[in-house]
């Protein structure tokens, strides 16, 4: 499957819009459910990409939610995933089979999570806790009172409630108020009403100034002088340059050394990330994580064709594709304020030019649409390579955002 189908991800958000996990699936026709072999291939492929023999679980604190059928509950590939970060979803009706129930209880005893779909919450209530750790909740605004009573009963158990589908921000707020623990879907890609026009904060203004100076090839001394006026920014740069991931080999204590060692293009990339993470405009954490994954995935998709140096520009385009939302200002204002190359501008405005198609493909991986296959084919990238880049980008983002 990983050689012929494309991986699709949907984030699971908590009530504060933080990403707590990802639901991963193969892109397929909704009318044709995946087979046992396809689901087993998903488990095996994901495990091989996000479990490192030396570094362990590469997705840090994230939990993976994977669709399952009874026949695959004992597959060997499951043993390659950490049980505390793995949740298998099953239809409640399938538990009527004694063998399936026994397999589920064995998995639960081993620490693997189970999510039940299509459960009659009013009938089973708190008894769900004996067989599952999560239950899917279908929120409807038709009878909020009855739903509130059902949810309140579940809150007394150990079962966590996952809302699906939550298609509007009003429903999201209602579900959060009713005590749901997580929400599946792509609502974060829909602008929240009434959150535009926040503008840049002082930290972002300084970062933007530095980006403009780097673009203009300003002297190291000039960059150092601007950094010295912001103690927090200076600290972040020195912490980054001395991190194990950067691998400087010796402790760097001066800003001049840090800038020289890092180089202008990597410095610009670092400032791009910092510009987004310095946002205090109230936008959801999931937007930042999506921007970083998108930027890294687009970069990995393009690196073979354009080379490492130019792929840095694709990363910037991917990050900037959500910068209007992260900063709370229209994209036109963002582009007016930041001097970007013509190719990056074309990628952002039309998804055209040299970099745009890689950004478009990275965006398509967030959606279950036919665009993924057509874009990958046009760029001569195989499904296996897209899927490997996708999971690599997820792992890279966790290492970055949790540092």
């Amino acid at each position: 499957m990983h050689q012929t189908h494309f991986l699709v991800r949907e984030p699971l958000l908590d009530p504060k819009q933080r990403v707590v996990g990802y639901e991963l699936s193969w892109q397929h026709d909704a009318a044709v459910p995946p087979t046992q072999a396809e689901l087993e291939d998903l488990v095996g492929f994901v495990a091989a990409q996000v479990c490192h023999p030396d570094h362990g679980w590469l997705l840090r604190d994230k939990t993976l939610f994977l669709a399952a059928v009874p026949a695959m509950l004992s597959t060997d590939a499951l043993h390659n995933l950490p049980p505390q970060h793995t949740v298998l979803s099953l239809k409640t009706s399938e538990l009527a089979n004694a063998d399936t129930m026994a397999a589920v209880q064995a998995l639960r005893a081993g620490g693997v999570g189970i999510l039940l779909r299509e459960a009659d919450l009013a009938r089973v209530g708190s008894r769900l806790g004996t067989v599952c750790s999560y239950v899917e909740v279908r929120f409807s605004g038709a009878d909020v009172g009855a739903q509130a009573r059902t949810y309140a009963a579940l809150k007394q158990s150990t079962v966590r409630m996952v809302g699906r589908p939550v298609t509007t921000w009003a429903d999201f707020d209602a579900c959060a108020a009713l005590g749901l623990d997580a929400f599946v879907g792509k609502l974060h890609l829909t602008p929240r009403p009434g959150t535009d026009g926040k503008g840049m904060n002082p930290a972002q203004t300084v970062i933007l100034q530095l980006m403009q100076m780097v673009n203009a090839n300003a002297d190291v001394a000039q960059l150092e002088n601007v950094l010295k006026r912001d103690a927090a920014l200076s600290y972040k740069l020195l912490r980054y340059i001395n991190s194990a991931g950067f691998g400087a080999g010796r402790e760097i204590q001066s800003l001049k050394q840090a800038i020289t060692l890092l180089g202008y293009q990597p410095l610009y990339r670092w400032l791009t990330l910092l510009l987004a993470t310095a946002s205090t405009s109230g936008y959801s954490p999931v937007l930042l994580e999506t921007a970083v994954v998108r930027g890294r995935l687009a970069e990995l998709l393009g690196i073979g064709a354009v080379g490492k140096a130019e792929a840095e520009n694709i990363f910037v385009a991917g990050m900037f594709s959500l910068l209007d939302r992260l900063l709370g200002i229209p994209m036109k204002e963002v582009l007016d304020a930041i001097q970007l190359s013509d190719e990056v501008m074309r990628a952002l405005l039309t998804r055209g030019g040299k970099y745009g198609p890689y950004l478009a493909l990275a965006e398509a991986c967030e959606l279950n649409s036919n665009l993924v296959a057509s874009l990958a084919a046009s760029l001569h990238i195989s499904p296996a390579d897209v899927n490997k880049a996708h999971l690599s980008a997820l792992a890279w983002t966790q290492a970055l955002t949790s540092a």
Side-chain angles (χ1 to χ4, degrees):
M1 283 295 291
H2 66 273
Q3 295 178 341
T4 57
H5 285 60
F6 293 92
L7 197 65
V8 177
R9 79 178 190 276
E10 286 193 294
L12 277 84
L13 311 184
D14 69 8
K16 295 183 179 178
Q17 300 178 52
R18 295 173 299 202
V19 180
V20 296
Y22 285 101
E23 183 177 83
L24 298 180
S25 60
W26 294 125
Q27 183 187 56
H28 65 278
D29 184 345
V32 182
T35 65
Q36 175 190 339
E38 290 169 350
L39 294 175
E40 288 182 354
D41 185 71
L42 175 64
V43 172
F45 176 74
V46 170
Q49 300 301 313
V50 298
C51 295
H52 193 278
D54 298 322
H55 305 298
W57 182 240
L58 300 181
L59 299 185
R60 304 298 177 100
D61 60 342
K62 299 297 189 295
T63 298
L64 287 188
F65 289 70
L66 304 166
V69 291
M72 63 169 283
L73 296 180
S74 58
T75 182
D76 290 340
L78 283 174
H79 299 297
N80 297 326
L81 287 170
Q84 70 274 25
H85 293 300
T86 305
V87 177
L88 302 178
S89 61
L90 288 166
K91 290 182 180 179
T92 305
S93 59
E94 292 169 328
L95 297 184
N97 181 287
D99 291 337
T100 301
M101 177 63 84
V104 165
Q105 290 175 331
L107 287 170
R108 295 287 295 121
V112 176
I114 296 292
L115 179 146
L116 290 184
R117 306 192 311 271
E118 302 176 9
D120 187 340
L121 302 182
R123 292 182 59 186
V124 294
S126 59
R127 286 179 293 156
L128 284 171
T130 61
V131 292
C132 73
S133 44
Y134 295 85
V135 63
E136 185 176 276
V137 171
R138 296 266 171 179
F139 175 75
S140 167
D143 192 348
V144 177
Q147 290 176 93
R149 289 189 292 273
T150 301
Y151 299 164
L154 276 173
K155 289 294 286 185
Q156 303 305 311
S157 72
T158 58
V159 177
R160 301 181 67 185
M161 294 176 283
V162 176
R164 177 208 297 278
V166 181
T167 56
T168 70
W169 285 109
D171 283 354
F172 181 95
D173 292 336
C175 288
L178 290 171
L180 269 66
D181 300 284
F183 310 87
V184 187
K186 303 174 178 67
L187 184 61
H188 62 284
L189 298 176
T190 304
R192 191 172 184 126
T195 51
D196 290 333
K198 300 281 184 175
M200 293 193 190
N201 60 41
Q204 291 165 335
T205 303
V206 174
I207 295 168
L208 181 60
Q209 180 186 357
L210 286 165
M211 292 175 72
Q212 302 285 45
M213 292 173 69
V214 170
N215 258 338
N217 291 314
D219 293 336
V220 172
Q222 292 175 299
L223 294 170
E224 183 183 14
N225 286 335
V226 174
L227 277 165
K228 282 180 177 177
R229 296 201 294 269
D230 191 314
L233 196 56
S234 299
Y235 168 76
K236 288 177 181 178
L237 177 58
L238 290 174
R239 186 179 65 174
Y240 172 68
I241 206 77
N242 287 308
S243 67
F246 185 80
R250 66 186 191 281
E251 185 175 1
I252 305 300
Q253 296 183 332
S254 80
L255 293 172
K256 182 178 180 180
Q257 280 183 306
I259 296 168
T260 303
L261 183 61
L262 190 58
Y264 276 33
Q265 194 165 20
L267 176 60
Y268 190 89
R269 175 196 180 99
W270 179 75
L271 289 168
T272 300
L273 280 165
L274 213 58
L275 185 64
T277 58
S279 173
T280 57
S281 59
Y283 279 85
S284 59
V286 64
L287 271 183
L288 169 60
E289 188 156 323
T290 302
V292 178
V293 174
R294 187 182 290 180
R296 179 60 173 170
L297 176 52
E299 177 186 24
L300 291 174
L301 293 170
I303 198 167
V306 304
K308 188 175 186 303
E310 275 205 81
E312 296 268 2
N313 295 326
I314 303 178
F315 172 82
V316 170
M319 280 292 302
F320 275 36
S321 66
L322 281 171
L323 202 56
D324 55 337
R325 298 277 310 283
L326 287 162
L327 299 181
I329 58 177
M331 182 60 81
K332 184 178 185 306
E333 289 186 33
V334 174
L335 298 181
D336 286 344
I338 302 174
Q339 182 181 355
L340 298 170
S341 70
D342 290 343
E343 286 294 345
V344 172
M345 291 275 283
R346 287 182 68 189
L348 285 169
L349 294 174
T350 67
R351 302 301 186 262
K354 188 186 297 186
Y355 309 143
Y358 299 103
L359 172 55
L361 177 53
E363 289 174 313
C365 287
E366 301 164 20
L367 308 167
N368 191 3
S369 75
N370 293 328
L371 275 177
V372 185
S374 59
L375 284 167
S378 70
L379 293 168
H380 307 291
I381 306 175
S382 71
D385 287 339
V386 172
N387 294 331
K388 288 176 182 177
H390 197 160
L391 291 175
S392 178
L394 277 183
W396 187 85
T397 299
Q398 308 319 309
L400 181 78
T401 56
S402 60

